[in-house]
Amino acid sequence: MTLRLTTAGESHGPALVAIVTGLPAGLTLDRNAIDRELGRRQEGYGRSPRQRIEQDRIEVLSGLRQGRTLGTPLALVVRNRDHENWAWGMSPWPPEGEPAGKGKEPVTLPRPGHADLAGAMKYGLDDVRDALERASARHTAAIVAAGAVAKALLREIGVELAGAVVGDDLEERIDAARAERDTVGGIVEVRARGVPPGLGSYATKEERLDARLAWTLMGTQAVKGVEIGDGFALARLRGSEAHDEIRRDEGGYRRDTNRAGGIEAGVSNGEEIVVRAAMKPLPTLMRPLASADLETGEAGQALVERSDVAAVEALAVVAEACVAWELARAAREKFGGDALGDFVAAWRAYVERIPWSAR
Ligand code: EPS
């Protein structure tokens, strides 16, 4: 039994879609809670005016009846309100009528750092819009919707997550970058409490929980680095300084430090999961970088279009959703169950068997 997620959708197309399979039947989903997560992703300092157009709301097409999952594929939709401004340019079918609105001119000056050039070469495109629309971080709205479902499942087994930006100088850096028509990146951290020991496995690389967290975060737009626990800093320490010593008290096994970030040998060890992701500065600059035209090869300046100065706060929400998804997937593999009650009972029997208590 495992959770699977398939997403679809372009940034300025009609909608984003997420299809979730592998949920147990009987999980209560709260529409407002999902919308709150979608809203959190849209907030944050440095976002583009696009966020004043979008007011992301969840729609459910299947898999849910009267607020409870059926154990069947859950189809989630987030409409793009901006699509109406791109109705001709992003029409799924050959558009009717005269060219109108946005996206009608082909984009031929690829942005350094975006999918534009590699996408155009890979897929044989003469308009980089065909690449950038799917590569866009708008996609993360679908991830957050699925992550909200994962969080609801995790809550049933006492797991709570929080994502935050690391460092408190963000607003200043964003203001300074905006003034110079530039962009900035940053670092986010996700912590998950209440994760029992034993999620993931050292048996194969694919099952390792750290590998799965790295995969999902690295697969998120603009992420260039991921670390678990003290990550890169561990490389500079001695073994005697780097590992989390084990002791036992009436609550079970405990560590007084957590440099491993709650994962040893690819398996959760019962401590808080701590994972960080580094985001590069966004590649759409109002003061564009040098580029070369796809058609003519002539030197030019990269595409300038409405964009964020920073989306680090949004990444904190997205990263939380990504981590929730992978933890929920690992929990489904470990505890199984077609009905929510079976899943929770299996979790309860397990945590009663092992010398561990959540903290
Ligand atoms: C993005 C470019 C901007 C962002 C977008 C991601 O879109 P637009 O060109 O429409 O202003 O606003 O992010 C979102 C729309 C979102 O909801 O997060 C990009 O190129 O990745």
Side-chain angles (χ1 to χ4, degrees):
M1 176 62 71
T2 191
L3 276 180
R4 286 190 205 286
L5 171 63
T6 303
T7 66
E10 280 77 41
S11 180
H12 305 98
L16 300 162
V17 177
I19 296 186
V20 173
T21 58
L23 288 169
L27 175 68
T28 297
L29 297 182
D30 175 351
R31 183 185 204 159
N32 294 330
I34 300 176
D35 284 344
R36 257 197 314 277
E37 296 293 313
L38 292 173
R40 280 178 68 211
R41 194 199 66 91
Q42 291 196 273
E43 290 163 8
Y45 204 69
R47 299 308 304 277
S48 97
R50 171 81 185 270
Q51 300 310 324
R52 292 201 285 273
I53 300 172
E54 304 300 340
Q55 285 162 25
D56 294 342
R57 297 272 182 280
I58 199 66
E59 264 177 64
V60 178
L61 301 187
S62 78
L64 195 68
R65 181 164 179 243
Q66 299 178 350
R68 277 155 53 101
T69 57
L70 297 172
T72 57
L74 180 72
L76 306 171
V77 173
V78 179
R79 304 252 170 220
N80 290 322
R81 286 169 55 128
D82 202 18
H83 178 63
E84 66 179 51
N85 301 315
W86 298 72
W88 193 94
M90 287 301 295
S91 169
W93 297 107
E96 289 170 5
E98 289 304 304
K102 295 188 173 180
K104 52 184 191 293
E105 306 294 344
V107 179
T108 59
L109 279 159
R111 290 161 295 175
H114 217 293
D116 303 357
L117 181 58
M121 292 195 284
K122 178 175 168 65
Y123 292 99
L125 312 174
D126 44 24
D127 178 356
V128 302
R129 181 154 304 284
D130 285 349
L132 70 87
E133 281 288 331
R134 177 62 182 162
S136 164
R138 174 78 186 139
H139 168 251
T140 58
I143 298 297
V144 167
V149 174
K151 283 169 81 169
L153 184 64
L154 290 171
R155 219 166 284 129
E156 299 287 338
I157 57 169
V159 175
E160 294 286 343
L161 295 101
V165 174
V166 175
D168 53 12
D169 61 340
L170 192 65
E171 293 198 6
E172 272 168 47
R173 289 176 61 228
I174 293 172
D175 288 341
R178 183 187 282 112
E180 292 172 33
R181 294 154 66 224
D182 217 325
T183 59
V184 290
I187 297 174
V188 303
E189 181 177 273
V190 180
R191 290 173 174 264
R193 301 180 79 101
V195 177
L199 294 195
S201 173
Y202 45 76
T204 61
K205 272 194 185 192
E206 290 83 356
E207 289 168 278
R208 284 182 177 251
L209 188 61
D210 43 6
R212 292 156 69 153
L213 296 179
W215 168 82
T216 184
L217 291 170
M218 201 56 119
T220 299
Q221 284 80 354
V223 171
K224 282 298 210 185
V226 177
E227 64 177 4
I228 313 278
D230 286 359
F232 276 69
L234 290 174
R236 302 259 170 253
L237 300 180
R238 295 245 178 118
S240 56
E241 303 163 319
H243 299 293
D244 305 308
E245 289 185 300
I246 299 170
R247 66 181 174 82
R248 174 122 187 219
D249 64 20
E250 65 288 348
Y253 290 105
R254 287 189 186 285
R255 318 293 178 102
D256 294 322
T257 56
N258 186 22
R259 299 180 189 110
I263 302 175
E264 289 169 309
V267 186
S268 62
N269 65 8
E271 299 299 317
E272 195 174 37
I273 303 278
V274 184
V275 52
R276 271 180 229 101
M279 185 183 216
K280 68 183 179 183
L282 301 177
T284 310
L285 270 62
M286 296 302 123
R287 192 181 53 186
L289 298 174
S291 185
D293 193 278
L294 277 186
E295 232 172 282
T296 63
E298 264 173 53
Q301 291 193 319
L303 167 69
V304 178
E305 62 172 23
R306 177 187 66 191
S307 187
D308 309 282
V309 179
V312 189
E313 287 184 60
L315 179 64
V317 178
V318 173
E320 191 183 296
C322 289
V323 171
W325 180 265
E326 285 304 318
L327 292 178
R329 192 159 75 87
R332 287 299 284 143
E333 286 162 16
K334 179 139 183 62
F335 304 121
D338 294 311
L340 179 67
D342 298 341
F343 171 76
V344 173
W347 163 77
R348 185 161 294 125
Y350 173 69
V351 294
E352 280 169 11
R353 171 172 75 71
I354 56 172
W356 174 80
S357 56
R359 50 198 157 262

